[in-house]
Amino acid sequence: METAELVIGSKDENGNGNGAHAAPDGGGAVTPADDLGRLPALVESLLFAAGRSVPLSQLIEALDGPSRAEVLGALEHLARIYEREGRGLRIVQVAGGWQLRTPAEHGPWVRRLLRERPPRLSRPTLETLAIVAYRQPCTRLEIEAVRGVDAEAVLTTLIERRLVRIVGRKEAPGRPLLYATTREFLEVFGLPDLNALPPLRDLGDGAALLAATEVKVAPEGVEVTLESPPPSGV
């Protein structure tokens, strides 16, 4: 990951190091000549206002001035401060971007305040979601070949919860629908991207089916075509 040394606060023309400059010209953009000492605070405001995971490119565009390295440095600086001081917020990489989140250990109190129950997924739902996550894009037939049971109802539930989406059709007889995970899937499980999924070698039984290059149902049962050698990770 790209990093940059971040200087917090800089001296103005009068030699003051408080970084309290007026808003730069250009509708609030942070120009190269502006005081980058307030960049972490600006980044913090953007993440708070967004209330979701924000890609780095969007932060750079909104700030309109600082470089990629400078914005990354501000994010990492904030993340270290939050962690070191044990604050009630964290800045984390999730779903292809950066987001302000409460620590996981504070979850019970947050849910009590919001009167929310933690989302619960049944075992069949989790199994189906895992198949989609590792084999995407995949068809319903491929999912059913791995699980051994009908997956239509479970897929409908996952789509309603916005954890799975339809991404197209497979170039095969009948042109079956293709399913893949969503951005919400990454957010729910706190993953920066799909590369953060646990390696298949850690999953034990059933990993071979998830790693198969092709899965299809035949009269004799499920036919599996594996890569050679079988993959040990995602």
Side-chain angles (χ1 to χ4, degrees):
M1 176 177 291
E2 209 174 339
T3 60
E5 181 179 358
L6 184 68
V7 178
I8 306 303
S10 61
K11 293 185 178 181
D12 58 20
E13 294 179 356
N14 298 321
N16 296 322
N18 57 13
H21 287 269
D25 294 334
V30 181
T31 66
D34 189 41
D35 183 9
L36 290 177
R38 66 192 182 105
L39 183 57
L42 284 169
V43 170
E44 186 177 36
S45 294
L46 294 179
L47 294 181
F48 177 81
R52 58 174 174 80
S53 175
V54 183
L56 180 62
S57 59
Q58 289 186 13
L59 290 172
I60 295 170
E61 181 181 1
L63 292 164
D64 191 21
S67 67
R68 173 186 171 88
E70 288 166 340
V71 177
L72 265 177
L75 286 163
E76 293 170 353
H77 172 76
L78 284 169
R80 287 193 298 270
I81 289 178
Y82 279 30
E83 184 72 29
R84 183 174 67 244
E85 297 183 359
R87 295 190 187 178
L89 292 173
R90 296 290 186 272
I91 291 184
V92 297
Q93 280 187 278
V94 64
W98 295 76
Q99 186 177 20
L100 273 175
R101 286 192 163 196
T102 56
E105 60 269 25
H106 294 179
W109 291 274
V110 173
R111 287 192 293 269
R112 190 180 305 159
L113 172 67
L114 301 178
R115 300 183 183 277
E116 291 182 354
R117 293 184 178 181
R120 297 190 182 279
L121 298 175
S122 66
R123 183 181 180 87
T125 302
L126 284 172
E127 289 176 353
T128 302
L129 188 56
I131 295 168
V132 175
Y134 282 95
R135 295 193 52 78
Q136 60 186 304
C138 56
T139 66
R140 193 184 90 187
L141 183 62
E142 291 169 343
I143 295 168
E144 292 172 347
V146 174
R147 287 201 63 226
V149 296
D150 183 84
E152 182 175 7
V154 176
L155 280 171
T156 299
T157 298
L158 289 171
I159 291 173
E160 289 174 349
R161 294 194 177 191
R162 296 190 299 182
L163 297 173
V164 166
R165 63 191 176 101
I166 297 171
V167 294
R169 292 183 177 273
K170 187 173 183 177
E171 294 300 327
R175 301 197 68 229
L177 295 172
L178 287 168
Y179 299 91
T181 55
T182 63
R183 184 186 184 92
E184 284 83 354
F185 164 78
L186 296 174
E187 290 185 354
V188 167
F189 289 92
L191 301 173
D193 51 47
L194 292 174
N195 291 326
L197 286 168
L200 287 173
R201 62 175 176 269
D202 296 344
L203 301 184
D205 296 340
L209 286 176
L210 291 176
T213 56
E214 186 174 353
V215 178
K216 62 181 180 180
V217 178
E220 299 79 14
V222 178
E223 290 185 357
V224 178
T225 302
L226 293 173
E227 293 180 350
S228 181
S232 59
V234 177

